[in-house]
Every structure is written in C-alpha cells, then in structure tokens.
Amino acid sequence: MPPHPDIAGVHLQQVLEALVDPVRRQIVRELHAADEALRCGVIDLPVSKSTATHHFNVLREAGLIRQYYVGTSRMNALRRDEVEKVFPGLLALVAAEDHPGAGRPSSGRAGPGGTP
Amino acid sequence: MPPHPDIAGVHLQQVLEALVDPVRRQIVRELHAADEALRCGVIDLPVSKSTATHHFNVLREAGLIRQYYVGTSRMNALRRDEVEKVFPGLLALVAAEDHPGAGRPSSGRAGPGGTP
DNA sequence: CCAAAAGTTCGATGTCTGTCAAACTTCGAT
DNA sequence: ATCGAAGTTTGACAGACATCGAACTTTTGG
C-alpha cells in the first residue's frame, strides 16, 4: 500500500539501482513471464522472507511493480506498459537475460551471512 | 591495453553494474554524443583522476568502451554497434537520460571523502 | 636534458546495501 | 476463539564499492 510512484517521475538511476540486483531481476523476469500478478510466496527466491520483502519494496519504489493485498497475500504485478513507455526496451533486456547459475553479481556480491 | 572482452560473452549483470554509477553513465553519454573516441581528460568528471581511471576501466571490462593509447593520452571509444547487438536499446536509454543535477544516486551514494 | 602533461598504481577509508533471525501483525479456516 | 499461513518490521552485521592523495611512469615540448 505504500506509495506507488508515477513512473514518469522516476529517474533512470533508481531503476538501474533496482535492477542491478540479481534477485530483483529474477522477480521481474518471473512476473514478466507470468504476465499476471503473483503472490510473493509463489516466486521461489534464494533469500529469506524478510530479504524478499525488502526486494519487492525496492522494485515498487522504483515504479517497476504494483502491489496490493488479497487476504494476507501481497500480489505483485509488473507495470509493463508504463515502464515500457518511459524506458523502452528495458524490460525486454531483463526478460531475455540468460541467467547463468543464479545470476550472481560479477564480483561475488552476496552479502554477509549468505550461506554460513 | 588490458583485455577487451567479447561483448557477446558479457553478462547483463556486469553491464548493469557498470551503468549503475552516474559517473560512468556520464562517460557513456558523452562518448555517445561525441560519436568518436575521446581522451579521458576531455570529459569533465566530478571525481579525481585516479577515480576516473577506475571508472574507465570498469566500462572497458564490461565491454562498453574500447581503449587505446595515443602518446600519453588514452583514447576511449564507445562500442556502439557491438553493444547494441547484444543489449538492444540499452545505450539509447542511457543516452536519452534526463541527467538531473549530476545524476547522483537516489540514495545519496557518494562514497567517503566525497567533499570534505 | 629538464619539465610539464596525462594517466596509472597503491593503500586507506567511509558509506551503502544485501542478508539474516526473531518478534510481531493480520487474515482465513477450523 | 484459535491456530497457521503470509508478510512485515526491527536490529545487527559484513562485504563491496566509490573516493581520495601521493608517488610513479611515460611521452611530448622547450
């Protein structure tokens, strides 16, 4: 429910910061493929629930996804057309990504506590 | 002179990591606009020379620019067509960027020592 | 030959961001 | 009413990255 920014007002900087994380790109890819809103839990992410919540929030704040509740489930929908209008081709690049392994950052960025 | 990767082998992850930095996008924009190779010094960057060197290296390693020496000057050329072939539309997004202020990261990332 | 110019290398530093665990909230079903 | 499922919130933490200054290399110009 927090604020969904108007994509026209989002800077490329913020969108890139959102998409530079492999986990967040995975989310975008799955939403793109599903072509419909998905529950958070449906997407199998390699991180804890709290971290997942964080990633969804970042995507929302960047104007890439729209979120709304249905019961206790948070639905997530890719803002396809809107994003396409402001950043043409961007989603296609992510959707077409050849996600090797798990799309880990080039310079082994995994954060601490990764998998102790 | 260090290795220039074959762009076809570069992952989207690495390219995004390169382009997420405002300074590096500025470099790409200027090279895009110039449409020819430019000396490092010609591009007026808001960072020290050593930092600039770092940024040019990151861009080269990501396959976005090609570098070669002419005297003591290092020339930098955008690998337009090659990048366009593998990541269509990507350069256009950066080139068309509405660089506000100085394109500082959304979450004030400036690093230490920024402006003491 | 000497000096200036153009970058590079090296080491140090501070901030940011991803990550987790634990406690909490909320809604639906039994 | 109670229990479970689904997420959220709140600290804490560690690793990466951008950044700088100083010293060095190399090439051009006087």
Side-chain angles (χ1 to χ4, degrees):
Chain A
M1 20 261 282
H4 285 77
D6 174 12
I7 302 192
V10 176
H11 294 315
L12 180 60
Q13 179 66 42
Q14 192 174 355
V15 174
L16 289 179
E17 281 173 3
L19 292 178
V20 83
D21 187 285
V23 175
R24 290 195 285 260
R25 278 204 310 287
Q26 180 186 339
I27 293 174
V28 169
R29 273 199 307 275
E30 303 217 9
L31 288 179
H32 182 94
D35 201 42
E36 66 175 341
L38 295 180
R39 279 184 31 233
C40 291
V42 166
I43 304 179
D44 188 39
L45 300 173
V47 295
S48 69
K49 282 202 295 182
S50 50
T51 300
T53 294
H54 167 62
H55 286 311
F56 279 106
N57 286 342
V58 171
L59 288 173
R60 172 175 45 70
E61 285 159 18
L64 295 173
I65 65 175
R66 195 173 293 280
Q67 302 183 298
Y68 56 92
Y69 275 102
V70 172
T72 76
S73 297
R74 190 170 220 176
M75 304 301 297
N76 306 278
L78 189 58
R79 297 173 69 176
R80 279 177 172 278
D81 301 353
E82 301 175 79
V83 176
E84 180 63 21
K85 203 159 293 183
V86 183
F87 301 110
L90 183 58
L91 292 180
L93 286 172
V94 177
E97 182 179 7
D98 180 27
H99 35 132
R104 74 285 251 167
S106 3
S107 315
R109 134 108 69 215
T115 305
Chain B
M1 34 254 287
H4 284 77
D6 173 13
I7 303 192
V10 175
H11 293 312
L12 179 60
Q13 178 67 43
Q14 193 175 354
V15 175
L16 290 179
E17 281 174 3
L19 293 177
V20 82
D21 187 286
V23 175
R24 291 194 285 260
R25 278 205 309 287
Q26 180 185 339
I27 294 174
V28 169
R29 271 199 307 275
E30 303 217 10
L31 289 179
H32 182 93
D35 202 42
E36 66 175 343
L38 295 180
R39 281 183 30 235
C40 291
V42 167
I43 304 180
D44 187 40
L45 300 172
V47 296
S48 68
K49 280 202 297 184
S50 50
T51 300
T53 295
H54 167 63
H55 286 311
F56 279 106
N57 285 342
V58 171
L59 287 173
R60 172 174 46 71
E61 285 159 19
L64 295 173
I65 66 174
R66 195 174 293 280
Q67 301 183 298
Y68 55 93
Y69 275 101
V70 172
T72 75
S73 296
R74 190 171 220 177
M75 304 301 295
N76 307 277
L78 190 58
R79 297 173 69 177
R80 280 176 170 280
D81 300 353
E82 301 176 78
V83 175
E84 180 64 19
K85 202 159 294 183
V86 183
F87 300 110
L90 184 58
L91 292 181
L93 286 171
V94 175
E97 182 178 5
D98 179 28
H99 34 132
R104 73 286 250 173
S106 4
S107 314
R109 148 159 351 260
T115 304

